[in-house]
Amino acid sequence: MLIMWLKNNPKNLITELEYYKNSHNKEFFYQTRGLDRRDIFQTLTELVRAARFIYLNKTCFNGLYRVNSKGYFKYTNRQL
């Protein structure tokens, strides 16, 4: 999914990432991280999921993407 957006629609992905960059703060990070724990996660567009993945990857410890045993994103933000 991420590769598809990078290849076919990079401008849309960059625009979405600008939103994440401009919204970045502690509350926004934890809200974004917690989306996979809510029913709304299934309704997110592929574009939003791709941007969310990049945002979480870039803002977390050493760029690691880990999930717990339930499949939920695991890390806290190292910069906040």
Side-chain angles (χ1 to χ4, degrees):
M1 166 179 49
L2 176 58
I3 299 298
M4 179 194 77
W5 281 100
L6 287 172
K7 181 180 176 184
N8 298 329
N9 299 301
K11 289 182 181 181
N12 290 347
L13 183 57
I14 290 169
T15 299
E16 188 69 21
L17 287 169
E18 285 292 327
Y19 166 75
Y20 281 82
K21 179 182 176 182
N22 294 333
S23 300
H24 179 67
N25 61 40
K26 187 175 183 176
E27 181 180 339
F28 181 77
F29 171 80
Y30 285 111
Q31 178 184 8
T32 302
R33 186 190 73 168
L35 282 176
D36 57 355
R37 294 168 172 83
R38 300 176 55 209
D39 293 335
I40 194 172
F41 185 72
Q42 300 302 320
T43 65
L44 298 178
T45 65
E46 288 183 351
L47 173 62
V48 171
R49 288 184 188 200
R52 177 183 177 268
F53 177 83
I54 293 171
Y55 170 74
L56 291 174
N57 186 268
K58 296 301 269 181
T59 57
C60 292
F61 183 72
N62 289 335
L64 294 175
Y65 184 89
R66 292 180 56 191
V67 295
N68 64 17
S69 61
K70 295 180 181 180
Y72 299 144
F73 188 78
K74 187 172 180 174
Y75 274 108
T76 59
N77 187 300
R78 66 184 160 118
Q79 299 168 349
L80 297 178

